[in-house]
Amino acid sequence: MNETVQSRQQRVAIVGTGLAGLTTAHLLQNDPEQRFAVTLLEQADSLSFDSASVAVESHEAGTVERVDLPMRASAGGYYANLNRMYRHLEVPMHPVRFLFVFSKASKQSGAKESTSQTSCRSPPASASAVPDGYFIHASNLHQLPPPRPSGYSTWRYLLEVLYLVICHAWFRAACFLVKPHDESFAEYLESIWLPRRYITHYILPLMSSVSTCTHDELLAFPASDLVHYIRFSYGQQHYTVCGGVQQVQSRLSRGIEDIRVRSRVLEVCPQANGRVLVRWRDTDGVKEDVFDRTVLAVSPDVASRLFAPLRTAGLDKIPTTWVESSVLTTPSRVHSLVDSNDQRSQGKVACMHHTGTAVETDSASTQVITLRTQFSGASGARSEALHTMPSGVVVSTCPLDGESEATQKRTLKTAGFRRTLRTVESRATVERIMGGSNDGGRSNIWVNGENNLHCKQRTDKCDHESARHSIMVSWLSDHNFMAGLLVGAAATVILLIGTTAAFLLSRDQYGLDHWKLNVQLPVRSMWMNLGYWTSSSEFPEACRSYLHQVFSTADILTGPDSLRSIAILDVGIGCGDQTRTVIESIDAQCPTPARSLAYVGITINQAQQRVALEKWHTEPVICSGSMKLDSFHLFCADASKPHAWSEEVRSSVEKLHQSKKSTRRWLLASDCLYHFSPSRMPLWQYAARNVGMNFMGSDLCLSTTATWRQTILARMIGVLMGCPWKAFLTEEEYREQLMACGYDRESIIIKDVSEDVFPGLVAFLEKQDQALARSGISLGAGFRLARRVFGWFAVSKVVRAVIVVARLPAVKDDA
């Protein structure tokens, strides 16, 4: 290059020689106008993109395979630009096919430990023979049906396939139809209502192993990162570089003369003249030089250490993790590391994909990746990826037992990497620094490009660099998935026949099922209403408090009604806890002289009636001397259809009407009326006209400000809850129906208690779900759905929790 060109060139220092740094250097070095002179600074002994990769010789085949650490691959669509660059550089690539084996990492102890671990971390003769494997997926569905794990019976496996077909179809549909907002992956998964087992046993092991982090760390990732990958890689093939990424590194660095390895950069300081001072340490001591521009192509923690304004911008707060990846030999084959630059091994180096020496697996051209998951531990659930290479060596990433003696003996090489983790907050920080969003008024925040210093946004593990991310997530983006859907649908009838047997076979006798032997029966409390959560965080107390709020609003314990005898028709009594509370509350407030109580309780569920009767007979309420229990009945009947009651039920209820004139008669309905079909009115009409009863209860009302879309959604949710289409009424509609049944408009009270009901219930359900999960017990899909529904009610205010009291005109005048 002539001196004139050199004199007008800008000197650019690039710190870091990973893919980001090398790509930047290549673009600047090959600028058509030759405006830049590039200097690469790397603290390692060689360029870092390929520095950890090794050449492994198979003594049996006499060939040398290049093994990339970490393994790298790319998919079309999401990695379109990367693949274009490889094609531009004329880097040879080939398609890959994989079998992904999901397995549990069984815990062993004592003398058995090394044997067990060796077995788990060695490539079996077949993917189906992996210890504790519970599912096998073939990339791009190149094997249909996929291999069945040896530990699964045919029926159990078919049931698992059907379960995955349904869950996977739901997840894929959500990724394309439900746009993630500024939320974490955990929040997104919860919002689309995926079953927990599908998340913990399939999504998290897959994604966390490719993102080289724990399950909890992955759940904190921005949902958009993962959802966008699934969308863009849909139906795309996956490729790896023939002979390893050393070919990419050599082409990107070609022509760059000023490469300074073993140079650890200490500081980057902008100068007053607009240039940038870079200070580094090499084998000769501390050195410094001034450049026109500097590019930091390093991890956020390193960048913030080198350039102080990045610490102020919050880059040092971005979480990172240390990841280890090892190359392991197998007991049945002999391998050794060789120097791929050695002239004696040059003729042996080959891309194993194009040779006939691959280890015999399920398919000679198919590679096995085993995902071993430890579902509990001090650091949370973790997954290890074990990739069996064509030559037979195994690449282990994020090892679960890397320090065991058996593993150490088999390790050819271990390399460590600093990986950047993603969170919603860290993404916002990076976008702000890159100039992609405003700084919220923080005008002193450094922005990329200022002071002639640039941060090359290092590719996150979840977005680009990892090979396993692009090949493993093919399980989430196979274009032939509909074939699996049809296969699963065709097998449904057969699966249903084998459900019982499969369930029995799937149980772990050494799990946590023995909680059933330790629980004390009968259960002391079986409450079931929404609860009133102002003074309690426990469910029974909150349910009892809600009933007390109904009594307080009706003023039957302290007002004029407390001086009268009472007759109560209680519908929706559940398992008897409500019955006991009604009697105890009235007894506790009963004045002298003695008053009487007549009580009839109705539930539609026969099992609940049986439990309620058993409670009453084993632990009856002992009334004080100031109250007399005149009559007591518990029936199983449909309270919404009085015309269909048996003669015994009808007679007992009508006897409440025949009590003495001074008796105040009440219909009580706590959190059940919105289930009544076709409506509440038949019961109200019967209670008002046939039995002369006032009404008190708790219910759900539709907000008067709800839009038509919200109303339709609320009604659809109601149908899913087992309610009639028009179960949710506005306050005015509610009043009109009560008046039509005979209640006095002026006496009707509708009290909104939503703020004291929904938030507390949602918090309790979430707390209970987490507590049960720690013991291996599931809260159940129904209650998880209820948590989301009531959470939406709390936030949107479309549906309101209300306490309702209505009196008959004659009773009001008499009072």
Side-chain angles (χ1 to χ4, degrees), residues 715-742:
R715 297 200 188 285
M716 291 175 64
I717 289 174
V719 171
L720 292 176
M721 293 168 57
C723 307
W725 177 254
K726 287 204 171 182
F728 300 146
L729 307 172
T730 65
E731 279 193 26
E732 188 56 34
E733 290 171 335
Y734 209 101
R735 293 177 190 274
E736 293 295 334
Q737 287 196 6
L738 282 169
M739 290 171 56
C741 293

Side-chain angles (χ1 to χ4, degrees), residues 248-432:
V248 178
Q249 178 175 284
S250 64
R251 284 167 171 77
L252 288 176
S253 60
R254 184 181 299 162
I256 302 176
E257 298 178 357
D258 192 1
I259 300 177
R260 306 180 189 185
V261 296
R262 303 185 189 90
S263 300
R264 183 173 183 268
V265 176
L266 304 175
E267 189 179 13
V268 176
C269 302
Q271 304 295 291
N273 60 3
R275 305 185 75 191
V276 183
L277 173 70
V278 179
R279 185 176 291 112
W280 70 92
R281 183 191 301 276
D282 60 16
T283 54
D284 297 327
V286 176
K287 297 181 180 179
E288 61 182 41
D289 200 348
V290 177
F291 297 87
D292 296 292
R293 294 179 182 272
T294 299
V295 177
L296 298 181
V298 292
S299 60
D301 56 331
V302 175
S304 62
R305 176 171 52 83
L306 299 181
F307 186 51
L310 290 175
R311 291 193 294 274
T312 304
L315 206 63
D316 60 330
K317 301 298 191 299
I318 294 179
T320 60
T321 188
W322 182 255
V323 177
E324 287 190 352
S325 188
S326 303
V327 179
L328 310 176
T329 61
T330 59
S332 60
R333 293 179 177 268
V334 181
H335 299 87
S336 61
L337 298 182
V338 297
D339 183 359
S340 58
N341 295 319
D342 192 328
Q343 293 297 325
R344 291 172 297 178
S345 63
Q346 284 293 316
K348 300 179 181 180
V349 177
C351 175
M352 302 299 286
H353 178 81
H354 298 296
T355 67
T357 59
V359 172
E360 291 297 326
T361 57
D362 299 69
S363 171
S365 61
T366 299
Q367 301 174 26
V368 176
I369 295 180
T370 302
L371 304 176
R372 293 180 63 226
T373 300
Q374 178 179 296
F375 287 99
S376 62
S379 59
R382 298 185 301 142
S383 295
E384 172 186 19
L386 294 164
H387 178 200
T388 304
M389 303 297 292
S391 63
V393 296
V394 177
V395 178
S396 166
T397 304
C398 296
L400 300 178
D401 42 33
E403 297 182 359
S404 69
E405 182 179 351
T407 300
Q408 293 292 338
K409 289 180 179 179
R410 298 172 46 218
T411 302
L412 293 176
K413 180 179 179 179
T414 297
F417 310 92
R418 177 65 62 182
R419 289 301 191 197
T420 303
L421 300 176
R422 291 273 283 179
T423 64
V424 175
E425 294 76 13
S426 71
R427 181 184 62 182
T429 298
V430 172
E431 288 178 351
R432 184 171 61 246

Side-chain angles (χ1 to χ4, degrees), residues 104 110 117 183 280 291 476 481-482 587 608 695 733 796:
K104 298 178 182 178
Q117 291 172 352
E183 59 188 337
W280 70 92
F291 297 87
L476 301 175
F481 178 76
M482 289 307 297
D587 180 45
Q608 292 182 356
F695 168 67
E733 290 171 335
S796 67

Side-chain angles (χ1 to χ4, degrees), residues 424-447:
V424 175
E425 294 76 13
S426 71
R427 181 184 62 182
T429 298
V430 172
E431 288 178 351
R432 184 171 61 246
I433 292 173
M434 292 297 170
S437 63
N438 62 57
D439 61 8
R442 300 166 63 189
S443 57
N444 60 332
I445 296 299
W446 183 86
V447 177

Side-chain angles (χ1 to χ4, degrees), residues 441-459:
R442 300 166 63 189
S443 57
N444 60 332
I445 296 299
W446 183 86
V447 177
N448 193 40
E450 288 184 11
N451 312 115
N452 284 326
L453 190 144
H454 305 262
C455 280
K456 180 66 179 73
Q457 186 175 358
R458 185 171 180 173
T459 328

